[in-house]
Amino acid sequence: MKHVDHDKIEQAVRMILEAVGEDPEREGLLDTPARVARMYAEVFQGLDQDPKEHFSVVFGEDHEEVVLVKDIPFFSTCEHHLVPFFGHAHIAYIPRGGRVTGLSKLARAVDSVTKRPQLQERITSTIADSMMETLDPHGVFVVLEAEHMCMTMRGVKKPGSKTVTSVARGIYAEDVVKRDEVFKMIRMGSLT
């Protein structure tokens, strides 16, 4: 990652350890500041990425029906508490004019949006808007379901609770039957 200042992160981690009453010179913590700096560079690498870049390659295919990639795993970091949240993304779109993108591009776009301090609601909208702007499909429908560690390990302490967000663009915003079709396809097999 271009803009990560490893030294500054290491200093901050040492200060946090000291502030909570730990000894950063303790054997088990000696390399922790450097490990945390490397981890932040990895988990926040999406800050240097634009999800639209993943949709720059399209293929011509005579297909104007739903394309759904479901159960795309993701990990992100809550921007309010800097603790993880994780779950699955489900992305459906209806190509226009035979413009389809590679299936792996949907998963790559999810990664680029989730690997930064985030809100689940923003992730959902950013993915949908990026697809609408670059692919010009008839519609996009994005559903995210995630468990937030800020609700699990602190605060209300409700492990197992899931947050579900959805965004409908184009025909999916207008046609409840089309939206229901995607919900049924998402539930098939993996969701109960």
Side-chain angles (χ1 to χ4, degrees):
M1 222 166 117
K2 292 178 263 187
H3 64 277
V4 172
D5 186 334
H6 287 258
D7 291 336
K8 192 179 265 188
I9 294 171
E10 289 182 35
Q11 290 170 9
V13 171
R14 287 181 61 80
M15 290 175 66
I16 290 170
L17 290 170
E18 290 170 354
V20 299
E22 260 295 357
D23 176 10
E25 298 302 318
R26 185 168 61 77
E27 181 182 0
L29 295 175
L30 278 175
D31 295 326
T32 296
R35 283 192 293 266
V36 171
R38 289 190 303 273
M39 178 198 63
Y40 279 173
E42 179 181 342
V43 300
F44 295 144
Q45 67 187 353
L47 288 166
D48 290 333
Q49 299 173 2
D50 181 349
K52 291 181 237 171
E53 292 173 6
H54 299 292
F55 304 123
S56 61
V57 175
V58 294
F59 306 98
E61 187 61 42
D62 186 23
H63 184 83
E64 292 201 15
E65 297 296 328
V66 66
V67 176
L68 168 66
V69 178
K70 65 181 190 172
D71 298 322
I72 302 168
F74 72 86
F75 300 89
S76 194
T77 304
C78 166
E79 68 182 35
H80 296 152
H81 300 99
L82 292 182
V83 294
F85 65 98
F86 56 93
H88 291 90
H90 315 285
I91 303 173
Y93 76 105
I94 299 176
R96 183 192 310 268
R99 291 174 45 92
V100 298
T101 190
L103 300 176
S104 69
K105 304 306 184 194
L106 300 176
R108 291 182 196 283
V110 169
D111 280 348
S112 71
V113 176
T114 58
K115 290 188 175 180
R116 55 182 85 169
Q118 267 294 14
L119 295 176
Q120 182 172 333
E121 298 87 344
R122 186 182 309 125
I123 294 169
T124 314
S125 296
T126 301
I127 293 168
D129 293 340
S130 297
M131 292 179 70
M132 287 300 289
E133 289 174 32
T134 55
L135 297 175
D136 189 34
H138 290 289
V140 173
F141 194 48
V142 179
V143 178
L144 266 64
E145 47 186 329
E147 183 168 346
H148 291 250
M149 297 304 289
C150 58
M151 283 187 59
T152 296
M153 63 186 280
R154 57 154 305 279
V156 297
K157 296 183 180 113
K158 299 297 180 200
S161 60
K162 297 272 168 81
T163 299
V164 179
T165 53
S166 67
V167 169
R169 300 287 188 260
I171 195 168
Y172 287 117
E174 304 156 7
D175 190 333
V176 70
V177 173
K178 290 283 187 195
R179 271 196 317 274
D180 285 346
E181 175 188 21
V182 173
F183 275 127
K184 286 177 187 168
M185 292 172 73
I186 290 171
R187 279 191 228 105
M188 288 173 27
S190 63
L191 297 178
T192 55

